[in-house]
Amino acid sequence: MKIGFIGLGNMGGPMAANLVAAGHDVTGFDLSAPCPDGVAKADSAAAAATGADVVITMLPNGAILRAVADEVIPAMTKGAVLCDCSTVDVDSARAVADQADAAGLGALDAPVSGGVGGATAGTLTFMVGGGADAFATVQPLFNIMGQKAVHCGAAGAGQSAKICNNMILGVTMIATCEAFALADKLGLARDKMFDVVSTSSGYSWTMNAYCPAPGVGPTSPADNGYQPGFAAELMLKDLRLSQQAAESVDADTPMGQAAAALYAAFVEAEDGKGRDFSAMLPRFEKRGRGG
Ligand code: NAD
């Protein structure tokens, strides 16, 4: 397939490289990141999109996605598919899909989980919103860049799934960390806490697979000085998107709101920026009820 790839940063770079390695013809554009080996460099986003069967975007946020879509949609061939893999607000995903549809293009919102490791290894999970035909067109590419692609529904459904999942993840990580910090103060050994909770009704992915306590459970960023992994500021971004979406549809999400406020304090007022999102545990360790 002829693919245009816009946004070749930490995630987009290795994703584009995997498409090239699988034999696809990829033309890329980024404002600053270099093109991976084998990706032809275009001078603009529109040039990367011209003549492509599929245009993939992997950009920082919804405002940038909208600006790039304004530029690439008029350059794309009718019947081609615009597939956005960034994590953006649901409203931007739907607006771009409407704009693509009006121009006779297919459109997908296909955010990912799996991080830079998954992008490099080709083991991402894609959560996809948009039409069935567009999904069928891009599915072979999802199979190269990832291990699983779930067609979640119409435009916006992929972003909706992503932010709901990550709202659970953020809330659960905080709950796991505050419980460890409480257990510490009660004199309960962390390995005993892990043994009990990981096999009891408090179990979760954050406890069982990504334990925030160093030296306990499987190897996780906690065992590596809380180097990300999944950085606290990316969790904050996703929690804010969840709260923006909740406001737009009048959904009551008190735990998501509290998690967003805690990660905002951690990243913006404390030492959380650049640390893994599980570094909430050392944060709680240092605190008492008064802060
Ligand atoms: P990044 O900042 O490394 O990459 C974004 C790239 O977009 C940059 O290279 C930037 O130069 C480029 N860019 C910005 N504006 C542009 C424009 N107008 N035209 C062309 N290129 C432009 O970010 P990333 O970590 O690769 O993340 C990309 C997206 O994936 C984000 O939406 C993020 O939330 C999501 N995501 C990231 C991770 C992760 O672990 N890094 C995990 C899941 C999802």
Side-chain angles (χ1 to χ4, degrees), residues 149-202:
V150 181
H151 190 194
C152 299
Q159 298 296 348
S160 301
K162 165 96 187 175
I163 57 174
C164 288
N165 179 73
N166 281 16
M167 188 172 81
I168 295 171
L169 177 63
V171 166
T172 312
M173 179 55 84
I174 290 168
T176 303
C177 292
E178 70 182 25
F180 263 119
L182 170 61
D184 286 348
K185 291 196 176 183
L186 294 172
L188 175 61
R190 284 182 169 182
D191 60 333
K192 301 300 176 197
M193 167 83 174
F194 177 83
D195 272 358
V196 171
V197 175
S198 65
T199 53
S200 300
S201 48

Side-chain angles (χ1 to χ4, degrees), residues 6-12 29-33 58-61 64 68 85-87 112-113 115-116 162 229-230 234 237-238:
I6 299 157
L8 298 164
N10 292 323
M11 296 291 291
F29 175 72
D30 193 292
L31 290 178
S32 58
M58 196 52 170
L59 297 162
N61 59 49
I64 292 174
V68 168
C85 295
S86 330
T87 304
V112 302
S113 74
V116 177
K162 165 96 187 175
F230 185 43
L234 290 177
K237 172 188 171 176
D238 292 357

Side-chain angles (χ1 to χ4, degrees), residues 20-138:
V20 169
H24 290 289
D25 172 4
V26 184
T27 302
F29 175 72
D30 193 292
L31 290 178
S32 58
C35 271
D37 282 350
V39 175
K41 189 174 172 2
D43 290 336
S44 67
T50 302
D53 303 304
V54 174
V55 174
I56 299 175
T57 48
M58 196 52 170
L59 297 162
N61 59 49
I64 292 174
L65 170 66
R66 286 178 193 243
V68 168
D70 283 343
E71 197 188 331
V72 299
I73 286 174
M76 287 175 67
T77 313
K78 271 202 178 12
V81 178
L82 176 58
C83 175
D84 177 47
C85 295
S86 330
T87 304
V88 303
D89 57 287
V90 177
D91 289 345
S92 291
R94 290 192 173 137
V96 166
D98 285 347
Q99 201 179 340
D101 188 51
L105 304 171
L108 298 174
D109 52 292
V112 302
S113 74
V116 177
T120 305
T123 56
L124 295 168
T125 295
F126 291 85
M127 296 145 251
V128 189
D133 290 351
F135 182 75
T137 302
V138 183

